[in-house]
Amino acid sequence: MTAPWWKTGVVYQIYPRSFLDTNGDGVGDLEGIRRRLDHLAWLGVDAIWLSPVFPSPMKDFGYDVADYCDVDPLFGTLGDLDRLVTESHARNLKVLLDWVPNHTSDQHPWFVESRRARTSPKRDWYWWRDPAPDGGPPNEWKAAFPAGIDAWTFDSTTGQYYLHQFLPEQPDLNWTNPDVMRAMHDVLHFWLDRGIDGFRIDVVHGIGKDPALPDEIPEWRGIPHVALNEQPSTHELVRGFRRLADAYPGDRMLVGEVFQLFSQTHERYFGANDELHLAFDLPASVATLWEEAAWRERIANVAARLDPIGAWPTWVLSNHDTPRHRSRFGSEARARAAAVMLLTLRGTPFLYAGEELGLEDAEIPADRRLDPGGRDGCRAPIPWTVGGTHGWATARPWLPWPPDAGERSLERLRADETSILHLYRRLLALRRSSAALREGSIALLDAPDGILAYERRADDERWVVAVNFASEPIAHAVAGTVVVASDGAGEGRAYRRILGPDQAVVVRRER
Ligand code: NOJ
Ligand code: CA
């Protein structure tokens, strides 16, 4: 097998604050992750990606980094992270960190120094500009959240505005300054030298800016600038990240968060195989509705854009910013069918922790809302045991539990062979055992209205995956054996050539 792990493997995203708290402060920690590595090995994933664990004032729950080369005491110590990496590697699990190059915290020493004086040696590490003639912000750019705010904040110390595509506490770095680039390369070296297997790169498309800082075109006025930003200078910087990562042994991997509203430019982030190894295609990936036509279009669109350049797709159906599968698609049956698609499409699946339990987003009462971007629901804590504190060292985690936490706990679902948890495990095992599912070709097949069907193939190994998006059974002619069914029905037997509502099957074709 010559394909690198990040092509054949499955990445499991952990939102550390919500995974497992072991010291009773209500926030998940590195020790909590370490204690559950056996669960992940049992489940059958290949890598974990940790949302940021660096020191942070937590205005954006870690995506506001105050020190890129340490661990926030809330999560543990650098030693704990080293131990987590060692113990993950011992279980053949790779470890990815979440690198946030677009912005720092306003408490990062770089920004504290930059803000001090116009003459600061770090002034130019961020985007400082004079007010517009009317005293307002330098341009019309809007931040991503809270909704509607300007992307500029006035700083009375020096009488200038600074740019922030997110919160005012997340000032944007100025990557045209070579000192910024060098300092950030040092950060990458720091972690790669410690044995980290790669990075998820936060809003990678945001880092290069049009130096003229022009207003948005009129149709796009009011849309957060970060969803529109696309600059050639970003690609030059990404090539530098790739050279740096590829100089290390052991297939280090860079996966970029590319989130662009209109331009459909995510394929550019692969460059000529000299930029990112993988790139998320957002928001399309997490926005596709429960409709056969929408999925057909999505699969065809990804192939049409990536195949010609030899780039490898990713599939991500949820994360810490978007609703969970069950909340988005509306039922457990659909969440199960979505699991079948996620793990059988051509490309690297990213599985958000808790999807294997079929969790729904939590209801967050007004007095417990924390996230300025309104994303608390999908960040609810993971229930590990049925009763009491669900395995957490506290009765009151930082966010409320998801619905039916006890019934959805790992303990309960593990004891039930028919649960969604076991479905995930069977799918992961099947994928691991099949070259066609891991690396084979994909072809959309003709099927009756309401059914999405595709074939995965490598040499003489052929699989058909069929998903019924309709609310009635549909006849569907394929000869073969059902190896996995989203509801478990008929596994190990000949395909009955009929698909139930919201049912998905993986059928081994007869040779
Ligand atoms: C994308 C991250 O996924 C999100 O959680 C964060 O708020 C923004 N980038 C800003 O870093
Ligand atoms: Ca804790």
Side-chain angles (χ1 to χ4, degrees), residues 96-97 99 188 191-192 196-201 253-255:
L96 306 174
L97 296 181
W99 180 46
L188 295 177
W191 291 113
L192 293 169
I196 292 296
D197 299 291
F199 301 91
R200 178 266 193 185
I201 311 182
M253 188 270 273
L254 304 176
V255 53

Side-chain angles (χ1 to χ4, degrees), residues 423-505:
L423 169 66
Y424 268 100
R425 186 163 185 255
R426 289 199 303 281
L427 285 165
L428 285 158
L430 174 62
R431 194 186 154 88
R432 191 182 289 280
S433 72
S434 159
L437 292 176
R438 286 191 318 262
E439 301 166 58
S441 60
I442 187 166
L444 286 163
L445 302 177
D446 286 338
D449 273 1
I451 292 191
L452 170 78
Y454 48 86
E455 183 182 67
R456 299 294 316 277
R457 186 172 190 163
D459 301 323
D460 61 351
E461 190 192 340
R462 290 166 73 188
W463 297 85
V464 172
V465 178
V467 187
N468 182 358
F469 285 82
S471 46
E472 62 273 349
I474 300 181
H476 175 234
V478 173
T481 305
V482 175
V483 174
V484 177
S486 57
D487 55 358
E491 285 180 1
R493 298 205 292 269
Y495 183 39
R496 289 180 54 236
R497 303 184 186 196
I498 185 149
L499 266 185
D502 297 324
Q503 194 195 17
V505 288

Side-chain angles (χ1 to χ4, degrees), residues 13 15 49 51-52 60-64 98 100 102-103 144-145 165-167 170 200-203 226 257 259 282 319-321 371 373 375 379:
Q13 180 194 356
Y15 194 68
W49 143 33
S51 280
D60 190 14
F61 300 108
Y63 286 93
D64 48 326
D98 203 323
V100 187
N102 179 69
H103 45 268
F145 49 75
Q165 296 190 84
F166 293 90
L167 295 174
Q170 293 170 294
R200 178 266 193 185
I201 311 182
D202 190 64
V203 290
V226 71
E257 185 207 20
F259 185 113
L282 298 167
N319 58 33
H320 63 293
D321 294 330
D371 177 41
R375 300 161 294 186
R379 299 175 178 178

Side-chain angles (χ1 to χ4, degrees), residues 23 104 258 273 502:
N23 65 349
T104 67
V258 178
N273 193 23
D502 297 324

Side-chain angles (χ1 to χ4, degrees), residues 400-414:
W401 296 105
D404 309 319
E407 289 306 304
R408 287 281 157 190
S409 64
L410 176 77
E411 181 185 20
R412 174 59 48 87
L413 299 190
R414 212 175 139 154

Side-chain angles (χ1 to χ4, degrees), residues 325-349:
H325 302 176
R326 239 176 104 207
S327 301
R328 170 156 146 239
F329 297 134
S331 70
E332 161 137 2
R334 290 176 178 181
R336 285 172 174 252
V340 170
M341 288 194 290
L342 178 66
L343 293 170
T344 60
L345 285 166
R346 181 172 186 269
T348 300

Side-chain angles (χ1 to χ4, degrees), residues 412-423 425-426:
R412 174 59 48 87
L413 299 190
R414 212 175 139 154
D416 174 3
E417 294 268 334
T418 68
S419 67
I420 189 170
L421 174 68
H422 283 271
L423 169 66
R425 186 163 185 255
R426 289 199 303 281

